[in-house]
């Protein structure tokens, strides 16, 4: 599943990142990402805290199934990517990406009138891990008549 340039740009912008997983009994869990990149045409990497989101990390380790939603708080434009993920420890470059992301997301929320103290608890990089998702499905999740519909993939 190749991402369009529009969606690639969107994911790289300051958007909220929600990583949804499931356990062996199909109970859902979520975690928040603290940075994302697109290393290839059909893969996205998301940085998240194993310390803050241990159930999410455990589920990714156990089955790899994930649905990652990227949402822009200013207008709620949202996309969800589904697929299979594998984990690795974050390296120096990943932590630098996370810090840039955090600075951008703090600035974006500040522009919306949301104080940093409200946002800070969401953005933890302690025990940072990277989930590399091989994308198999892509959906529009922006509220409205197209919510839940398959998004157009790139050529």
């Amino acid at each position: 599943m190749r991402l369009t340039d529009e969606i690639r740009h969107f994911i790289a912008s300051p958007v909220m990142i929600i990583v949804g997983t499931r356990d062996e009994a199909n109970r859902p869990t979520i975690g928040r990402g603290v940075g994302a990149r697109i290393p290839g045409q059909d893969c996205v990497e998301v940085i998240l805290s194993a310390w803050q989101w241990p159930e999410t990390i455990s589920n990714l380790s156990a089955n790899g199934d994930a649905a990652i939603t990227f949402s822009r708080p200013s207008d709620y434009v949202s996309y969800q990517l589904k697929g299979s993920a594998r984990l690795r420890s974050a390296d120096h470059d990943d932590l630098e990406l996370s810090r840039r992301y955090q600075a951008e997301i703090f600035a974006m929320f500040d522009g919306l009138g949301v104080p940093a103290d409200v946002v800070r608890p969401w953005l933890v990089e302690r025990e940072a891990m990277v989930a590399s998702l091989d994308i198999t499905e892509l959906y529009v999740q922006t509220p409205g008549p197209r919510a839940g519909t398959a998004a157009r993939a790139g050529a």
Side-chain angles (χ1 to χ4, degrees):
M1 164 88 37
R2 293 173 54 109
L3 300 176
T4 65
D5 288 341
E6 174 188 349
I7 293 173
R8 292 168 62 89
H9 177 73
F10 180 82
I11 289 170
S13 70
V15 293
M16 296 302 300
I17 305 166
I18 307 297
V19 180
T21 64
R22 64 170 180 83
D23 68 12
E24 66 281 348
N26 283 329
R27 290 180 299 242
T29 63
I30 66 156
R32 287 190 183 269
V34 289
R37 71 165 63 88
I38 302 170
Q41 293 293 331
D42 58 356
C43 179
V44 65
E45 292 183 338
V46 172
I47 303 161
L48 63 160
S49 166
W51 175 81
Q52 189 173 32
W53 309 109
E55 295 87 5
T56 299
I57 296 297
S58 178
N59 292 343
L60 289 171
S61 295
N63 61 44
D65 293 341
I68 304 175
T69 303
F70 299 87
S71 184
R72 188 170 49 214
S74 61
D75 59 8
Y76 299 109
V77 169
S78 304
Y79 293 97
Q80 184 179 71
L81 311 178
K82 292 184 177 184
S84 181
R86 60 202 169 282
L87 290 169
R88 66 173 173 79
S89 295
D91 62 23
H92 175 76
D93 291 341
D94 300 319
L95 295 176
E96 287 297 316
L97 171 67
S98 178
R99 291 173 188 136
R100 283 192 308 273
Y101 167 82
Q102 290 178 61
E104 291 173 358
I105 207 83
F106 278 124
M108 185 269 308
F109 272 113
D110 184 59
L112 294 173
V114 180
D117 288 344
V118 172
V119 178
R120 191 169 286 110
W122 306 339
L123 303 174
V124 175
E125 66 181 33
R126 184 174 169 186
E127 298 177 27
M129 300 289 292
V130 177
S132 298
L133 182 79
D134 293 322
I135 304 163
T136 58
E137 301 174 61
L138 170 62
Y139 298 94
V140 174
Q141 292 297 359
T142 306
R146 290 194 56 223
T149 61
R152 183 177 65 85

